[in-house]
Every structure is written in C-alpha cells, then in structure tokens.
Amino acid sequence: MLKFDEDQFLTRARSFLGLQPQIEEIVAGLSDVDAVFLIGSGGTYAAMWPYEHLLRRNTRIPVRSAIAAELVLSGDALLTERAVAVFASASGTTEDVIQAIEYCRARGVRTVGFTGIADSPIAQAVDSALITEPDAWPFDLGLLLFTTRFLSERGEFAGYDKLVNQLPAVPAALVEVARQAEPVAEAFAARHKDTDFHFVVGSGNLWGHAYLYSMCILEEMQWLHTTRVHGAEFFHGSLELIEPDTSVLLFVGEDETRPLMERVVRFSEKYSQATTVLDTADYALEGVDDEFRGLLGPLVMDTITSRISKHLEKQRDHSLDLRRYYRVVEY
C-alpha cells in the first residue's frame, strides 16, 4: 500500500487501547458531573462530533461539543465544577485548546486531555492526561472508550464489557480495511487529480468526518475547493449545485441515520456521473459483532479516506505537509 506503515499504524491504534485502565479510573471519579463538554479546534473539534452524537442519544445530562476559541469568548453557563471537559491534540501545542483548558480550569471544570506528547503544554495543563504514541490519529478509539465507559457507569450503555473485549481486534481489522480500500483510493485519485471542487456529504456519526475531511484534508492539505453538507440538509439548497460532472463524495455509515445517506446516494447517482460512495458496510471487521459496527464507522471511514489522501498526494504532486498559511504566518 502506498505510504502505509503497518507496524506504525498498529502501534498507534493500540496505544489508545492501552489507556483503558486509566480511562476507567478517570471516569469512576466523574459520577457527580452534570455536563460533558467535548472541546477541540479544527480537526479535533470535528472529531468530537461522533461522541457528542453517541452521548446525546444515550444520556440525560447535557453534552456539548465546542470550538475552543469560541468557548473562551462566549462562555457557557454549564461550565462549572460539576462539568467535565475532554480535549484532544496530537501535537499537544494547539494554542486555542490550551487557552480553553485554562478557561475551564479557572472555573473549576475537571479537564481530561488526549495527546501524543507527554511533556506538551496540553498534557501539563489538564487534570488528567491520556498519552498515546506520538502522532497517533485518529482519536476515535480513545474517545469511544471514554464515552462508552462514562455511559456504562451511569447505567446507560449495557454493552461496554462486550465492546472492550472486541476492541483489540480492531487495529488489525482496520489494516484489512486499508488494504481493501487501496484500489478504490487509487481509482478516485486518478480520476480526480485535476478536479478542483468536491461535494462531501455525511450524516450521524460520520458527519464529523465529512466536515473534517473536507476542511482539514481536501482544503488545508490539498488546496481544493469543497462544500461539506449534512445528509439531512442536502435537499435544502445544496442539491442545486449538482451537475453531471460534479464530484460528490458520500460517506455512508451503519448508524441509525443511514437512511438519510441512502436518499442522497439515490439522488446523486441519478444526476452526477462523478459520484463516489464510500460505505462502511462494504468492509469486513473481523472479530467485531454487528451491534458495534455503527460505533466504529468513524474509524473505518478515516482509514478509507486516508488511503485516498495518499493517492491524491501522489497523483497531484502536492504534499500533504505543504501549507501556505497554517502555522506558517501570523494570524
């Protein structure tokens, strides 16, 4: 596979699973919280959405994902000593996140942070630091462990023990997903190496990844024009932009919102000959029961689209590390 280090991939993914005992200990101390905040910036903000979605559907206490910089300016009445705030940053140096941690701690909010750098500012700032392998991404396995344990402790998720017994099979299963996605990714990149506009659509716990892939990969890393649209909102204006040659990239998952995306698929395949459907149901997850497949959708989709990213980089001769402005100039 193009630029795929299997050993590194497995090591990074398994580093999240190694946090299980620490996560369980942290969650045990949160029995009295009456609000949960999932806070990030850019990609880590979008990465929180599947877990806001999961919590919101299962718990009666308020759950909010928040943009770090906006939260510091606007505040929130629920940010008190009875709240917990969860952060994530691969580098551990994201300034907006650091400021949000300081803002929360000044209000007595308990803070938890996932990062790959043990001595980073973010790891030092939070009450409880969850340290992965350096550059480990995505954060889904860690966030899934945290949120399902939190729900389990509250009696709102009955499948935790069964889930965590199956999660060790996930890293190897994702390697097989990457292998299966390789020809799909290569074909997409070859077809779209000169395409400069992409529609990206998702729903449910894949809406966050649609937002992330559009903004953080296609725009930031490939300088391509995109529009990102929620599957439920696609038919409220956005559909008018679809033409026969419009690239429409559809993220179809296995959660309860799948019918929303199936409707978009039917429309897009009728009116655009450049529709690409990425469906997590097409990929086997050896060792994982069907009841958990929907929860793992963000991880599966991230693995598939990561292969597309590598092939776009090659086909377009545009490094995924190249930036004009982000962390290059003052802003």
Side-chain angles (χ1 to χ4, degrees), residues 44-214:
T44 54
Y45 166 57
M48 296 294 187
W49 294 357
Y51 306 98
E52 179 194 41
H53 182 78
L54 173 62
L55 288 169
R56 214 170 11 86
R57 290 186 299 114
N58 288 281
T59 188
R60 289 187 173 90
I61 68 172
V63 180
R64 297 177 183 171
S65 59
I67 303 172
E70 182 179 50
L71 184 67
V72 170
L73 294 176
S74 65
D76 193 296
L78 292 176
L79 276 174
T80 71
E81 67 280 356
R82 295 292 299 269
V84 59
V86 181
F87 302 84
S89 171
S91 68
T93 61
T94 308
E95 289 186 12
D96 288 351
V97 173
I98 296 169
Q99 291 173 11
I101 294 169
E102 294 171 349
Y103 181 86
C104 288
R105 292 198 64 187
R107 284 150 183 78
V109 179
R110 281 162 279 188
T111 56
V112 179
F114 288 90
T115 184
I117 310 297
D119 60 353
S120 65
I122 286 173
Q124 299 300 310
V126 293
D127 297 314
S128 302
L130 293 162
I131 309 301
T132 68
E133 282 289 307
D135 298 318
W137 176 274
F139 289 98
D140 292 271
L141 281 172
L143 291 167
L144 182 61
L145 277 169
F146 187 94
T147 50
T148 54
R149 181 62 177 187
F150 181 83
L151 291 169
S152 178
E153 288 282 294
R154 291 177 49 83
E156 295 167 333
F157 181 73
Y160 178 77
D161 290 337
K162 185 178 180 182
L163 173 66
V164 296
N165 285 335
Q166 295 184 14
L167 286 182
V170 170
L174 292 175
V175 171
E176 294 308 311
V177 169
R179 192 166 284 123
Q180 183 181 339
E182 190 74 358
V184 176
E186 186 173 13
F188 179 91
R191 178 176 185 179
H192 291 291
K193 62 186 178 69
D194 297 319
T195 301
D196 62 2
F197 174 71
H198 298 270
F199 244 86
V200 186
V201 189
S203 68
N205 69 357
L206 291 185
W207 166 232
H209 190 67
Y211 179 97
L212 184 156
Y213 197 71
S214 167

Side-chain angles (χ1 to χ4, degrees), residues 20-60:
Q20 181 185 340
Q22 190 180 355
I23 287 172
E24 292 180 350
E25 181 180 355
I26 291 168
V27 171
L30 300 176
S31 59
D32 63 333
V33 300
D34 55 20
V36 177
F37 286 80
L38 304 172
I39 303 171
S41 181
T44 54
Y45 166 57
M48 296 294 187
W49 294 357
Y51 306 98
E52 179 194 41
H53 182 78
L54 173 62
L55 288 169
R56 214 170 11 86
R57 290 186 299 114
N58 288 281
T59 188
R60 289 187 173 90

